[in-house]
Amino acid sequence: MSISPLMPVYPRCGVRPVKGEHCHLIDEDGTRYLDFASGIAVNLLGHSHPGLIGAIQRQAETLMHVSNLYGSPQGEDLAQRLVDKTFADTVFFTNSGAEAMECAIKTARAYHQHEDGDSNRTELITFTNAFHGRTMATISASNQEKMHKGFYPMLAGFQYAEFDNLESAKALVSDKTAGFLVEPIQGEGGIRPASDEFIHGLKALCDEHDLMLVFDEVQCGVARTGKLYAYEHYGIKPDIMASAKGLGGGFPVGACLATEKAARGMGFGTHGSTYGGNPLAMAAGVAVMEAVANDEFLAEVTEKGERLRSRLEQFIGNYPDLFDFVRGKGLMLGIRMKVESRPFFVHLRDNHQLLTVAAGDQTLRVLPPLVADNAEFDEFMDKLSAGAASFVPAAS
Ligand SMILES: Cc1ncc(COP(=O)(O)O)c(C=O)c1O
């Protein structure tokens, strides 16, 4: 057998972290990396956060797992915190973003297949360059051919419109439309915030035709953009929203949030998960919410984001052949490059011990832990400057 014991679906690099300390990762050979990838927008409290560790330890010593057939004081605690701080009235917990999306898709369909609904409305309109996960429903929800290849047939019921183009979305609305599914800020697609007009236009179409507005905030949610959830930047409320990644700060926690109206089809027996809402996961989620769901923390993220962005904007001017512009919100920033971003991301990682993430649309994602401080932002700028100075783009 020559296949790796880990199914080889990831192009794993040579960095093999064995320890995390605040904003740094330490490799098994002792090399220290500055982690401005945060496990792709997960470790929002950094690594080894004492509050998060304590919460998980205490819960592990008390009760690690019970079935969802029993009452869940731990789940009610986290769900109530989310309900208090968001548009939602009710929450279903999952173990990942894709599962939160699966629940969101089912909730949107079930809204229309409810006895008071119109069961012909089965199609969700989704958007180009979207990423919603790797399950069959979530790859079907994305128009990206590269994720479909080898896995046909796709699940029916998704129509693809152009991201941030309201006319394109409008043109697809029919008597089969159940709603829109959109990342308000595309992550994998290259840190691309949707415009106000686009989001407001989708909301108006939903109001007009009784459609579900489903937000995928798996990457942009949980304080990353300086708001607890990115929808708040737009001054509108979705009907259904998927959250995950940062929600457990590194422990696998996902959630599908919905209004009471949107969740009308999700009665007893319609959905479930053995592990979803597991007490250990809920303890992690509560610790994260305690740390981030307050005005002071969110204002700090906004302020750090503005400072980092202005430093980046000043810096990229020194390399007009390499960098184009900076976009994003809060500490979800992307540097749009004039060359492919992947080789630069590899160069930063391997030659300057700086971890970032490459994304679509020639973008380098900068996703620091939200607790990064001035010293770490200075270290980041130093490494980025050294990386840009020593980078030789491949000849095109
Ligand atoms: C916007 C978005 N939705 C869904 C997912 C899927 O989340 P998970 O990998 O936890 O299944 C991701 C993961 O990157 C994401 O960025």
Side-chain angles (χ1 to χ4, degrees):
M1 285 277 285
S2 62
I3 192 167
S4 142
L6 285 175
M7 196 180 274
V9 297
Y10 280 102
R12 290 177 188 274
C13 68
V15 181
R16 297 167 63 83
V18 289
K19 190 170 164 52
E21 282 173 5
H22 196 52
C23 296
H24 290 87
L25 282 175
I26 297 114
D27 195 351
E28 63 185 1
D29 69 7
T31 309
R32 256 179 109 77
Y33 293 84
L34 179 66
D35 183 9
F36 269 35
S38 304
I40 317 192
V42 169
N43 304 98
L44 74 193
L45 301 178
H47 301 281
S48 313
H49 184 271
L52 185 55
I53 293 172
I56 292 171
Q57 273 176 345
R58 280 190 301 279
Q59 187 60 50
E61 283 163 7
T62 320
L63 178 68
M64 203 178 299
H65 177 80
V66 289
S67 161
N68 277 314
L69 295 174
Y70 306 115
S72 172
Q74 307 83 8
E76 283 166 11
D77 185 0
L78 182 55
Q80 192 60 53
R81 286 167 195 261
L82 288 167
V83 163
D84 288 347
K85 296 277 183 185
T86 68
F87 72 96
D89 302 310
T90 190
V91 182
F92 179 85
F93 288 112
T94 69
N95 313 290
S96 67
E99 283 173 85
M101 278 306 314
E102 290 275 344
C103 181
I105 293 165
K106 283 180 73 173
T107 305
R109 286 186 173 187
Y111 172 78
H112 295 289
Q113 290 173 42
H114 182 263
E115 60 191 14
D116 295 334
D118 171 358
S119 59
N120 287 322
R121 292 193 172 277
T122 55
E123 289 181 355
L124 282 170
I125 296 172
T126 70
F127 296 94
T128 48
N129 293 318
F131 183 85
H132 299 297
R134 293 293 197 150
T135 60
M136 283 309 306
T138 54
I139 61 173
S140 303
S142 169
N143 79 321
Q144 297 195 51
E145 192 62 31
K146 64 180 185 216
M147 291 199 287
H148 298 176
K149 199 163 170 277
F151 302 108
Y152 294 107
M154 289 298 109
L155 191 72
F158 297 99
Q159 298 272 321
Y160 313 126
E162 195 184 327
F163 181 67
D164 216 18
N165 180 336
L166 186 59
E167 287 313 311
S168 161
K170 215 182 236 177
L172 288 181
V173 175
S174 74
D175 56 7
K176 290 206 174 113
T177 306
F180 298 105
L181 164 55
V182 66
E183 290 164 86
I185 305 177
Q186 285 193 334
E188 304 296 309
I191 313 289
R192 298 173 63 201
S195 63
D196 274 351
E197 302 71 48
F198 177 65
I199 295 292
H200 283 258
L202 294 184
K203 177 75 180 164
L205 285 169
C206 287
D207 291 346
E208 187 183 339
H209 300 284
D210 189 25
L211 308 180
M212 291 286 101
L213 185 58
V214 185
F215 272 17
D216 180 347
E217 293 222 20
V218 168
Q219 191 158 151
C220 61
V222 200
R224 169 104 351 235
T225 67
K227 301 277 187 198
L228 187 59
Y229 283 100
Y231 72 82
E232 298 168 49
H233 289 290
Y234 296 91
I236 55 99
K237 292 174 180 170
D239 301 293
I240 301 168
M241 183 179 77
S243 178
K245 286 194 182 272
L247 192 52
F251 199 91
V253 186
C256 171
L257 289 74
T259 63
E260 183 175 4
K261 180 182 172 197
R264 70 182 179 184
M266 301 302 283
F268 290 136
T270 55
H271 199 50
S273 164
T274 297
Y275 283 128
N278 162 294
L280 211 46
M282 298 299 92
V286 167
V288 167
M289 286 293 281
E290 269 180 1
V292 310
N294 61 77
D295 292 345
E296 200 185 332
F297 187 90
L298 294 166
E300 263 177 38
V301 174
T302 303
E303 196 249 328
K304 286 178 189 178
E306 280 164 6
R307 263 190 293 140
L308 180 59
R309 189 186 183 122
S310 80
R311 288 179 80 170
L312 284 173
E313 275 166 351
Q314 225 176 344
F315 158 78
I316 64 170
N318 300 330
Y319 297 92
D321 295 338
L322 212 48
F323 304 117
D324 205 349
F325 53 81
V326 180
R327 64 187 166 197
K329 284 190 198 295
L331 287 172
M332 184 179 189
L333 293 172
I335 307 175
R336 172 65 143 66
M337 299 189 64
K338 289 188 177 161
V339 296
E340 283 306 318
S341 60
R342 185 159 291 277
F344 186 56
F345 137 83
V346 169
H347 171 69
L348 291 175
R349 181 190 72 206
D350 293 348
N351 300 322
H352 297 276
Q353 291 71 51
L354 172 59
L355 304 179
T356 56
V357 200
D361 198 31
Q362 300 191 172
T363 303
L364 185 78
R365 271 181 285 180
V366 179
L367 301 166
L370 306 182
V371 294
D373 57 27
N374 276 338
E376 282 129 5
F377 287 121
D378 289 347
E379 185 184 344
F380 170 72
M381 291 307 303
D382 288 348
K383 286 180 182 294
L384 186 66
S385 304
S390 57
F391 182 61
V392 183
S396 53

